[in-house]
Amino acid sequence: MSRIGYKSVTLPEGVSVAQDGNVVTVKGPKGELTRELSADIKMTVDGNTVSFDRDNDNLKAIHGTTRAVFNNMVVGVTEGYKKDLSLVGVGYRAQMQGSKLVLNVGYSHPVEMEAPEGVKVEVPGTTAITVSGISKEKVGQFAAEIRAVRSPEPYKGKGIRYVDEYVRRKEGKTGK
């Protein structure tokens, strides 16, 4: 059984927490994040430690989730989050045109994508994309949307993949 909900979160130097009912705001050197947490979980700020408590044993799952979401907010405003993607395939390339990400990944037309607010997209090379920001949820979601444009296929391995992702290859058809 997981006990993650009982672990307290230590606030680093320069991070402040404001609570208004269920709405929690975390301010740090990289920015500010606001989120509504569960009303069933009680958050207690004591100096530079934040702890979470529940009244009912039926709330075990939301207890751990609430603590993990808050910890992700603290990490986001101090360090930030980053996802790296790579394009694998002949002629596959990415480029930035103003604030739009333009992907040429084997379709008859280029695919244009606009990054959501708070997410920064960089193209360090023609086959590399870096998505960064302070919200783990937004960074992960936009990286998943980019990957979904042309997800890696198992026969030739072509597509958009995370840098640390392993694509299991399949054997193709065999002749008679």
Side-chain angles (χ1 to χ4, degrees):
M1 176 176 12
S2 176
R3 304 270 186 220
I4 197 85
Y6 289 115
K7 288 185 178 179
S8 61
V9 178
T10 305
L11 299 175
E13 193 71 32
V15 175
S16 63
V17 176
Q19 187 177 6
D20 183 25
N22 301 346
V23 180
V24 176
T25 303
V26 180
K27 292 180 186 175
K30 289 202 177 247
E32 176 181 326
L33 287 172
T34 302
R35 180 147 190 163
E36 184 176 348
L37 300 177
S38 174
D40 298 326
I41 306 299
K42 292 182 180 34
M43 183 173 108
T44 308
V45 181
D46 184 33
N48 68 337
T49 59
V50 179
S51 58
F52 296 91
D53 196 27
R54 64 176 189 255
D55 293 333
N56 190 345
D57 267 354
N58 295 334
L59 303 171
K60 286 181 182 179
I62 198 70
H63 185 205
T65 302
T66 303
R67 187 254 179 217
V69 166
F70 180 79
N71 188 54
N72 290 342
M73 291 170 67
V74 172
V75 171
V77 297
T78 54
E79 301 166 21
Y81 288 99
K82 184 173 97 168
K83 290 269 189 181
D84 295 319
L85 296 109
S86 68
L87 283 70
V88 178
V90 177
Y92 285 17
R93 65 182 191 274
Q95 60 187 5
M96 291 297 292
Q97 287 181 353
S99 63
K100 287 186 179 177
L101 173 66
V102 180
L103 301 169
N104 292 313
V105 286
Y107 294 122
S108 62
H109 60 283
V111 178
E112 295 182 355
M113 301 181 82
E114 189 77 39
E117 187 179 328
V119 175
K120 183 180 175 189
V121 180
E122 296 173 339
V123 182
T126 58
T127 60
I129 302 170
T130 301
V131 181
S132 59
I134 61 172
S135 172
K136 185 175 188 179
E137 184 179 2
K138 287 182 181 179
V139 169
Q141 180 64 39
F142 191 63
E145 288 172 8
I146 293 171
R147 183 183 178 275
V149 169
R150 179 72 87 174
S151 51
E153 55 95 17
Y155 295 102
K156 293 184 179 178
K158 293 170 27 171
I160 303 172
R161 63 176 80 169
Y162 299 112
V163 169
D164 57 353
E165 181 179 6
Y166 172 73
V167 177
R168 216 168 125 186
R169 301 291 296 271
K170 291 184 178 179
E171 188 177 332
K173 289 185 191 177
T174 57
K176 288 188 179 185

